[in-house]
Amino acid sequence: MDGKKKSIDVPIEALMLASDYEVDSAERPRSPYPFDSQSDASAAAAAAAAADPHAAASGHRRQGSDYDNAPPPPYESVDPLALATEHGLELNAAVLVEEPRNHQPQQGFLRWCGSFHNEAIAGVDCEMTPFDSVSASAIRRACPDAPTDSSISFVQLNRVRLDPRFRETRSPAPDLTPSQRFGHKTCEIVDGDCKPVAHEHWGKLVGPSRGIQGHHNSCYLDATLFAMFTTVSVFDGVLNRKRNKKKDIPEYEEIQKCLKLNIVNCLREHQFVRADHVIKLREQLDKLGKVPGMLGEEKDPEEFINLLLDHALKHDPYIKLSSNQACHVLQLFVDSSQYDLKLPDTETLLHLTLLQAGLKLTQTPSCLVLQTPRSGKDYKLFDRVVPSTELDISNLLTEHPRQCCVCGKLAELECHDCFLQFQEASKDYTFCKKCFDNNKDHKNPKAQHKTVGIKYPKQVTKKYGKDKPVECPVKMKLFAVVCIHTSHYVCFLRLCQPDNRPAKWLFFDSMADRSGLESGYNIPEVTDAGDIDSWLNGSKLKDSSVQPPPEVKRLLSDCYLCFYSNEEAAMYR
Ligand SMILES: [Zn+2]
Ligand SMILES: [Zn+2]
């Protein structure tokens, strides 16, 4: 570690997710909407001049090279909305792009429509470039309003159709019963209090038609509710608090009842929630008028958590910061320029986030939801993040006794310049005075490590004095991870097992399968995801000669929200 000054000017606001919706949610970085910045023709031209990295990266054959050297055809101005409608499509809808020769259609999102050489062209946001795509640079040269995002490919519009999994039954006949609309699996409402599914009974959860049935862009909500309520009770306070007539909104009881009886209890008793129960909750949240489009549009999970817990049910925030701010979800936000973080874990990122912002937690949270440094599917600070199975937060608590990382006695100083020197982020930056002075980096006058003194309450200094070893770590356990992959949210559950057996991992997708097409319904599914702990703990991931299984790869590259709990803190609150 050299002695360079680190930037710690991370704005505190950046850590917090807007818990009040005065901020227009549309301003937050979301999907690259084609008309945001494309009006600037020079920007489009500059982008067109640049290489097309997406195309280069995917080894797919492309047809458009003929167009590349030709002068651009005259710009044929068309209304993208009208063109989409004409083809039975909607902008930003989930679509399938037909692939030739019996290949699986590609999933994606329709971002743009236009005309090129008298042909209707679609700009589709896909994971891989489809076969026979039209040259992106040629399109961008010809159509100034074409999106410049490198993940967009251009194909003939007639190859694009709506993805039936996400297709709303446009106007269901009013006399259809829920079982006619969503399948014959019954889902009676359950009264009273239901306990979460016990960790050793994980087998009950596995199978098709398990979990929450997805319907029309609901996956962000299905995955989040499944994470929060299936196997843990840390959020149950939300289900049981009586309405406070002065503080709570009039709809409080209606929303709380729907969440508890229609969703949480069904999940715990039947291990299945039919889509109409989730539609009911969405309708109630939509009526509040706080977040537009709750009924049909895809939202971010953290937006949903804040709307439900903060605005609708006014739950006391789980995370309390030393700046007197509080939140339900903590956004990890780091300046990683000083560190070699190739494969960071959430524990390192949490410590770094709070350290750089000069913040601490004022109490052990019963539940800690961390959002990885990314914005939906559009932006990732790191290609992969390892969800730590355990977080040691001892050094992040304001009043907690802390251990010197060298001798184990009561620490008196924090040295941020020493952070990560032993590759053990949660521990290696606290020192007693003696060990601080003896450290070789601290003896080196060029290094100039700056320290921050640690202030303890009197009872802590009295108890430990200078000689007693400090051993009382505060840890949070991982119990769920919500992942995002091409705008589709899914959830991993982690269930600790008795007798030190390895934790069980389950994978949930609310739209895993589909019965019927347009008028059909989705079939949710929970599958056994195998032993993931052995990959997350230890050094297997650093060994490039062994390939992790697909579940582990997906978890690392797609993890978005990581849910942690501390049972002791939950008991006392
Ligand atoms: Zn020491
Ligand atoms: Zn130091």
Side-chain angles (χ1 to χ4, degrees):
M1 197 65 43
D2 63 22
K4 271 183 223 148
K5 177 84 183 77
K6 287 177 196 65
S7 159
I8 53 163
D9 303 329
V10 178
I12 289 168
E13 297 73 33
L15 299 169
M16 319 274 297
L17 289 153
S19 59
D20 89 58
Y21 283 83
E22 304 316 315
V23 181
D24 180 7
S25 63
E27 284 174 14
R28 300 179 39 212
R30 276 190 61 85
S31 11
Y33 193 72
F35 311 112
D36 285 349
S37 55
Q38 309 309 327
S39 53
D40 182 353
S42 63
D52 185 354
H54 185 62
S58 84
H60 277 156
R61 190 161 67 82
R62 303 176 62 95
Q63 187 197 43
S65 53
D66 302 347
Y67 292 137
D68 282 342
N69 302 320
Y75 175 45
E76 304 150 30
S77 171
V78 277
D79 175 5
L81 275 169
L83 193 58
T85 314
E86 207 177 286
H87 284 74
L89 298 164
E90 278 168 33
L91 287 181
N92 298 316
V95 292
L96 296 175
V97 180
E98 294 296 347
E99 292 280 49
R101 296 177 292 278
N102 300 329
H103 285 284
Q104 284 287 318
Q106 284 242 26
Q107 295 169 18
F109 290 83
L110 181 67
R111 300 299 187 204
W112 177 82
C113 290
S115 178
F116 181 68
H117 287 286
N118 287 323
E119 196 168 29
I121 299 289
V124 184
D125 195 347
C126 291
E127 200 58 5
M128 301 259 290
T129 309
F131 281 96
D132 301 331
S133 297
V134 183
S135 159
S137 47
I139 295 274
R140 286 174 189 137
R141 264 190 295 144
C143 311
D145 67 333
T148 53
D149 194 292
S150 66
S151 66
I152 307 236
S153 305
F154 297 91
V155 296
Q156 280 82 9
L157 192 55
N158 57 19
R159 284 173 60 189
V160 178
R161 61 184 163 91
L162 287 177
D163 186 340
R165 292 185 307 157
F166 298 89
R167 189 160 183 177
E168 187 184 18
T169 312
R170 294 285 157 201
S171 47
D175 51 349
L176 280 186
T177 64
S179 67
Q180 283 168 320
R181 265 184 92 185
F182 299 115
H184 291 289
K185 191 166 163 91
T186 56
C187 189
E188 296 289 326
I189 288 170
V190 184
D191 266 321
D193 296 329
C194 296
K195 284 201 173 125
V197 177
H199 284 200
E200 56 270 37
H201 296 148
W202 60 269
K204 284 211 279 192
L205 284 163
V206 175
S209 296
R210 295 290 200 289
I212 302 172
Q213 184 180 29
H215 176 69
H216 198 225
N217 293 333
S218 69
C219 57
Y220 73 97
L221 206 129
D222 309 325
T224 309
L225 289 169
F226 190 80
M228 290 167 74
F229 292 107
T230 313
T231 54
V232 291
S233 56
V234 281
F235 288 101
D236 281 17
V238 174
L239 307 173
N240 298 318
R241 181 174 72 79
K242 289 256 180 312
R243 176 167 183 252
N244 178 326
K245 278 184 190 148
K246 279 186 194 150
K247 286 186 188 158
D248 286 315
I249 55 171
E251 299 87 350
Y252 178 86
E253 279 162 341
E254 188 193 17
I255 294 174
Q256 188 187 45
K257 193 175 156 199
C258 177
L259 175 67
K260 182 174 176 176
L261 307 192
N262 289 62
I263 294 173
V264 178
N265 283 359
C266 286
L267 194 54
R268 292 175 177 178
E269 281 301 298
H270 312 314
Q271 293 85 50
F272 175 70
V273 182
R274 204 175 47 208
D276 53 307
H277 294 234
V278 181
I279 291 175
K280 189 173 170 186
L281 181 70
R282 288 173 99 182
E283 282 169 351
Q284 289 172 348
L285 294 175
D286 192 58
K287 267 192 236 158
L288 299 178
K290 265 278 176 184
V291 178
M294 276 310 291
L295 205 48
E297 286 171 25
E298 171 116 354
K299 300 281 165 197
D300 297 327
E302 71 278 12
E303 199 172 11
F304 164 64
I305 292 178
N306 283 323
L307 177 64
L308 184 72
L309 301 188
D310 194 53
H311 180 67
L313 301 177
K314 296 224 180 338
H315 196 77
D316 189 28
Y318 288 95
I319 303 164
K320 303 233 159 96
L321 297 168
S322 52
S323 54
N324 283 329
Q325 288 165 303
C327 52
H328 291 292
V329 178
L330 187 73
Q331 161 106 60
L332 299 174
F333 189 92
V334 301
D335 168 11
S336 60
S337 55
Q338 296 277 316
Y339 303 98
D340 184 23
L341 295 173
K342 283 202 183 70
L343 185 59
D345 56 39
T346 49
E347 186 177 61
T348 304
L349 295 175
L350 172 65
H351 280 258
L352 198 51
T353 296
L354 294 184
L355 215 67
Q356 289 182 334
L359 291 173
K360 292 258 183 267
L361 301 167
T362 57
Q363 60 183 41
T364 306
S366 56
C367 178
L368 180 58
V369 185
L370 301 181
Q371 187 187 337
T372 56
R374 62 182 293 163
S375 166
K377 71 177 185 61
D378 300 322
Y379 170 75
K380 275 202 235 181
L381 185 58
F382 303 104
D383 285 339
R384 297 186 300 164
V385 171
V386 181
S388 309
T389 57
E390 214 171 52
L391 299 176
D392 187 334
I393 59 163
S394 319
N395 284 341
L396 299 177
L397 292 163
T398 41
E399 305 206 329
H400 194 76
R402 298 164 60 181
Q403 206 179 35
C404 166
C405 67
V406 182
C407 69
K409 290 171 192 162
L410 194 67
E412 295 157 275
L413 302 164
E414 262 183 16
C415 179
H416 296 188
D417 297 298
C418 277
F419 186 71
L420 277 184
Q421 65 170 347
F422 305 131
Q423 303 298 314
E424 207 180 338
S426 63
K427 299 198 179 75
D428 60 9
Y429 58 97
T430 52
F431 296 87
C432 70
K433 283 212 176 71
K434 209 169 143 192
C435 295
F436 180 86
D437 292 337
N438 284 335
N439 176 291
K440 70 170 171 32
D441 283 337
H442 299 153
K443 282 182 175 165
N444 174 2
K446 278 186 193 157
Q448 290 183 338
H449 285 199
K450 286 207 179 90
T451 57
V452 180
I454 304 173
K455 288 191 196 101
Y456 294 109
K458 271 199 184 115
Q459 65 270 26
V460 172
T461 30
K462 213 172 149 190
K463 185 172 172 191
Y464 290 97
K466 283 212 187 293
D467 294 313
K468 210 170 160 193
V470 178
E471 262 182 55
C472 45
V474 181
K475 292 187 174 178
M476 310 281 310
K477 266 189 204 160
L478 179 70
F479 66 89
V481 181
V482 167
C483 290
I484 178 172
H485 183 73
T486 51
S487 293
H488 183 48
Y489 291 93
V490 293
C491 171
F492 282 91
L493 279 191
R494 177 176 180 266
L495 296 84
C496 292
Q497 296 299 305
D499 311 324
N500 285 328
R501 273 180 284 148
K504 194 79 215 165
W505 282 81
L506 303 179
F507 174 74
F508 163 64
D509 183 346
S510 68
M511 301 178 178
D513 202 356
R514 188 161 175 97
S515 166
L517 289 171
E518 266 179 64
S519 56
Y521 51 86
N522 293 310
I523 301 170
E525 188 175 21
V526 178
T527 50
D528 184 346
D531 172 22
I532 293 184
D533 266 26
S534 69
W535 286 94
L536 303 186
N537 301 323
S539 57
K540 264 201 305 193
L541 286 173
K542 291 187 185 107
D543 179 357
S544 55
S545 66
V546 271
Q547 277 291 312
E551 295 82 12
V552 175
K553 281 188 184 163
R554 181 165 195 177
L555 184 67
L556 265 50
S557 59
D558 300 346
C559 67
Y560 187 66
L561 293 183
C562 298
F563 292 73
Y564 291 88
S565 69
N566 180 294
E567 278 160 26
E568 257 172 66
M571 268 194 297
Y572 296 117
R573 236 163 269 142

